[in-house]
Amino acid sequence: MRNLIIIVLVASALFSCKKFDKANINQNAPEEVNPQFLLSNVLAEGADNQAYWGWHAGNLLSQHAANLEFLPVDRYNLGSNEGLWTETYRLMKDLQDVKNSEEGNRAYDAVADILTAHQASLVTDLWTNVPFYESLEAEEGNFTPIFDEQEAIYTGEGGILDLLSAAVETLENTQETIEGDLMYQGNLNKWIKFANSLRVRYLVRISDQVNVSTELQQIIDDGNIFQDVNDEAVVPYLSASPNQWVIFTEREGRYVDVRMSKTAEDILTPLNDPRMEHYYKPTANSSGGTEVYLGIPNGLSRESQNSYDLGDVSLMGSYLRDEPDGVKAAFMTYAELQFCLAEAAQKGLISGNVSTYYEAGIQGSFDHLGLTLPAGYLSQPNVILDGSNDLERIVTQKWIASFMNGYEAWFDFRRTGYPDLPLPQDNLNNDVFPVRYAYPSTEQAVNGSNYSDAVNAIGGDDYNSPGWWEN
Amino acid sequence: MKIAITALFCAVAMITLSQKTIEGKVMDQKEQPIPFAKVKIIGKNQGTTTKEDGGFELKVNSNDSLRFSAAGFESKTIPVSGETEWTITLPSSINELDEVVVTALGLKRNKRDLGYAVQTLEGKEITEVRHPNLVNSLAGRVAGVQTTNGSSGVGSSSRVIIRGETSLSGNNQPLFVVDGVPVSNEFIANDTENLESGFHEVDYGNGMGDFSSDDIQSISVLKGPSAAALYGSRAAGGVIVIETKEGQRTDGVGISVNSSVTMEQIAFLPEFQNVYGQGSGGQFAYEDGLGGGTNDGGLVSFGPQMNGQLITQYDGPSFDQDGNPVRGGDVIARQGNPITPTPWTANPDNVRNFFETGVTSQHNIAFSGANDDGSFRLSYTRMDHEGTIPNTDYRRNNLSFTGTYDLSERLSIRAFGTFINSNSDHRPGLGYGSENVMYSFLWMGRQVNLDAAENYWQAGREGFQQFNYNTQWLDNPFFNVFENRNGFNKNRLLGNAVLSYKISENWKLRFRSGVDTYTDLRTSRRAFSTQRFPNGAYREDDVAFTEINTDLLLSYDKKISEKWNFNAALGANNFTQETRYKSLTAGQLSVPGIYNFENSKVALEASQYNSQRQINSVYGLSGINFDRFLFLDVTLRNDWSTTLPVENNSFAYYSVNGAIVFSEKLNLPEWFNYGKLRLNSSSVGADTDPFQLRNTYQFNQNYGSYPLLTNSSKLLNQNLRPERINGLETGLEMYFFQERLGLDVTVYQNTAKNQIISLPTSSASGYSSQIVNGGVIQSRGIEIMLTGDVIRGEDFKWTAFANFSKGASYVQELPEGIDQYTTGFARLYTTAENTIFYIANAQKGGRVGDMYGTGFQETEDGRIIYGDNGLPLRDNELRYLGNYNPDFILGLGNTFEYKGFELNILLDWRQGGVVVSRTRAVGSTSGVLSETLEGREDGIVGDGVVNVGTEENPVYEENTTSVSAAEYYNQFYNRANEESSTYDASYVKIRQIGLTYTFPDKWTKKMGVQDFKIGFIARNLFTWTENPHFDPELSAMQGTSQVFGVEDLSYPSTRSFGMNIQFNF
């Protein structure tokens, strides 16, 4: 018995409980944060996604550029791009936390809603039906969100357009301020302009399905949209690591593998467009002499490329390789807005002069790039709107301006068929232009029944099941 | 007085005269010496003890009688008179199966008493053919144990899994216990991601790989949860109990030496084709490696046939501005000057010749001694290794000390300490990408003569620009290994001390404390022009780890009556573990070749993670034993862990095990010597890793001066409960024919409930994974061990053993809200679409380890569907690829002894399981592997059908469209298509052949040397397996963890030949 007492005494001496209770508190990272840090993150990461995927996929699908060696996207073996899917939902989770933060600050709420609308449009435009209304409910125990119809995501209550108009209203009526706004430095009026400009983008996008005329006209009448390039939603890369443009430090192959496309050559050359010399480099064989800019057709197999001398194919512009901070990652540009308005006016959805919007768009694109619009450019016969193929010219100029801006030019092509892109000769998609990514296989593995429902709803998990707005 | 003196003198003289000194040896029935046997002169308080070799010397009178006795043996009394030959054989008093084994908490138990399966390896078995990594000593020798090796050779991690995977979440590694105190076998990986940029994964080796085999007395493997019930949660994967050597009384000076040198050669290389060189469509010409020539920026090998025709190449002669000769690839110095075309021929051995002969030397010297009160042992081991991959190495120094001392009749102390320094200048990069030289080789044209690449700087650009056959994507392999080094330096102190106090005849108190602490500094250097780091880089990863275990045990042992024995013990344990990890990266450097953070051109990137964990425990055990026939043990333990929520942090364990030695009571035939039935039941709990309860945000790299934080991708769980594993095990142990044939059969069933697992989830839910208490998983299996003394001749002996194990785990219940149990995934490429999912799908059997991936579109009768373009069509639907676990494992060992010669042969057969190979996917896409030769000239008409109907109403016709080989293989072996890169992982290996000769002592004694042994070892001699490209036994590492069922550009495994010399002074 005495021994037992000794044991108990020694044992209790061994186990001092002081540290025990605190051992499992994770002091490496915070459990709660001020929403400003999450907002900064969404702006930095979200903008980076636009430029990164603009380079790696958007430019190829829109045929601004063609690939030589790593060909899956260019030959339409698109895959699922699960990385972007996962990251987009994480950013939306960050935005949800901005809204749920204890601050109860309505300005943060509205800004978060604007960015949520943007991220949501990105996922639905890339994958068609996607989880939205039931998404981000893991903390409430829902790990298998259903996939919503694209129409509902755009037009439903709490959907993309609803979020944007509500955000505008909130911002117009709040005195609260936000921090961590690395894009607009807390200028809420610019956020209102951004929100309204996004509304224009999405209303035009769905305009084949829904009569958007009244709402569009209202936005124009209110006038609180991007006024010039200073209002643009862009986040520039910086000269210092870790905010440098990714291709600046990537291996050589990542740069030289991407070339000017034949499509770009065919569109830009007849326009005498100085943006060509910005977007691309003169061919190696012409350097030192009369510089020429030549492209290579998209989606050629390596064997088919043998009939091209790569010395006669332009590389991408110097600012995309040699400068860490040459790229401005864009959520939306002023030029794009003006082209949206030009299209809307051309289709009679809004009043206003089509050419005014159109020319403002072209001017905006040059301003965005820091280039001077050459005198006479706008009056060239193949630029000027002469009533014959105005829509094609508008969307083609928009295409030129959308270089590197995420997937925007691809979305426009899917919707309008402009510019008239050639089908890549060696495509692996049965001679059909793809219109979406496949769903991430993780959804099949972990959200199986909702995945199956979605696949049935859209008509198959391949690259050819069109979304609602492009039907 | 004088008379008296004379009388005394005479008496002494008389005694002296009738005295003589006898020399002899005490042996057992197997002619093995019995050390420390007592030799006593009856009726006198005189005697001696035998030495380690069983020998003794004693002065006796001719009329004395000697009594020889030793624990475990029957005594013999022999009169001195008449005996001339003093080789005494003592018969075993008890069955010789009464082997003493070390079990839980370091308790020494008679194997006969145990109600569960234990298998023991003696130090001799480990040191005679010692493997650089201790863990590998278990391969093939212990039933139910499966080892896999890291692919980067000596110094990389070897994993061991006992009885398959019981846990879906943890690493399933057993707990390693040294002298009763747990030690770390963990490998804390650098914080790297499986990405296209940044640093690759590097394997710095598992914790037990630090240990020196020469310090080990024995290794016991406790397999089931029952055996482990006393060790607590960390023992859920079994326990490997290591006893260190103690000093012993010896005849000689007490110095032993063990020295070995082995040479390693690569045993496996991908099977390359040697007909077509680099290029596309049969065309190639080198200009600048960036596409300036013809296809010279490309990676694939569908170029011209290699017939000796003249083509410009990277090593072709050219000249610089001043007319000095340079190589074609010296693009900067060449300034566009022409390259003289050189013969386009195959270099079949270009990859093989890159590798070198590896050398591993291990030397151990140990000093030991003992007297009646205590003992000491001081041991030093030095290992030097140079790898088969050039410039890779691994070095280790172990200095160990063991001391025992009886401070008094009642109080004794034992202490063991070892200081280990291991270090390397370069450990090779693993995983997919340009830092793995295998990547460079699988994308390298078969015409490439690597000799020119050995001088890996471009002329005039030393330090700034590498020279290579492909400037666009790949690093020069020599540049890679000589400039871009991953070094480390680890200092580890591991020790324990035990204080035992004998309170009374029956009561004992033991206090024990052990510490295992190390710091590991890893440095990664990247030179200018590295593909992933154009401006070079420098990184340091700093790991500091400390684990302390302290326990107190009070035990009681009493012989109640002639037949009844009773024992009980009560104890308490405290376990604390602390890990500190820190990493700093300079992603660009200012000056080449200076690896110092002050040389950073950019802001440093930091990453830091500290964690700690603590478990307090109390436990008790009790056993009774009746007449050496019936044994019953009961154990109880309760743990309190810091890693679980306060309300759920206490969990109990129990085990009951019994054994009936039925041969004691049954009237068995004479050839049936021994039979024991074992039965046990146990229930053990388990906690989890630190910080699994509450979510925190993650730091992202700042944007300018804006700090960024984001959500983590894993949803943690504040309501975690402890895991529980219920085990049932029964076994039968039998010996026949004078114990020449032994059979041990064990069947077991483990049911794991509430497993704490990180489940992948739809990232649209806001998190990509969640921590949950999982469903119910049941593992069942059988282990059969057969041992035999096939021939037991006077001179010639042949003993053999076979270990067979077979087991599988099935999901019985899914976690709540989950419709299929996707337990994890492995990426086959950096992008997510090339992913293998581990899905235990209840509708399809639900076996743990089932792998799913994408593949071809197929008709109902299994034919591949082709598109109109003649290429096979893939779809995105996940389908079953196979299970990565083997169906069974069989280890076969044979030992032949003839006079002093001993020949050991160890074979290993693993049947079943599949592995998805990235080597195959990459090498077939690139066209360097032999399977891509078919159809190069005439194209390929793929075997399958084309749908000429509609999607709804398909009509299939035979595919007749011919496509080029490049197009066909590019699509067929598409990396997103896991189906076409799946191999059967079965293999048969000659794991080890060892020949040892022990010189008779009479020959060597003149040199003052005893037990002189010389041995020749061959390891991993042959492997028979389906795939021609890689060793299926190697494991892959992705991100910070090892993954299953995936081969990820593994390095060639090695076969080694060596020599071993062992002797004592």
Side-chain angles (χ1 to χ4, degrees), chain A residues 23 75 94 139 236 253-254 444, chain B residues 196 472 612 703 710 767 967:
Chain A
R75 295 183 68 187
D94 286 350
E139 282 158 17
R254 278 283 167 235
Q444 253 187 89
Chain B
E196 209 188 322
Q472 193 162 324
Q612 63 280 325
Y703 176 87
T710 187
Y767 294 93
E967 283 290 279

Side-chain angles (χ1 to χ4, degrees), chain A residues 318-389:
Chain A
S318 173
Y319 83 107
L320 292 160
R321 173 63 175 173
D322 307 326
E323 296 171 31
D325 55 351
V327 176
K328 286 188 273 186
F331 290 105
M332 188 173 180
T333 62
Y334 168 72
E336 188 198 335
L337 171 72
Q338 294 303 316
F339 289 121
C340 287
L341 295 175
E343 182 187 337
Q346 197 274 338
K347 288 178 170 169
L349 299 172
I350 55 169
S351 57
N353 186 301
V354 183
S355 289
T356 311
Y357 290 130
Y358 173 69
E359 288 171 7
I362 296 171
Q363 180 67 55
S365 170
F366 278 84
D367 292 348
H368 174 82
L369 298 167
L371 303 176
T372 309
L373 179 65
Y377 180 91
L378 294 174
S379 54
Q380 295 183 100
N382 50 8
V383 175
I384 200 160
L385 298 185
D386 56 12
S388 59
N389 45 5

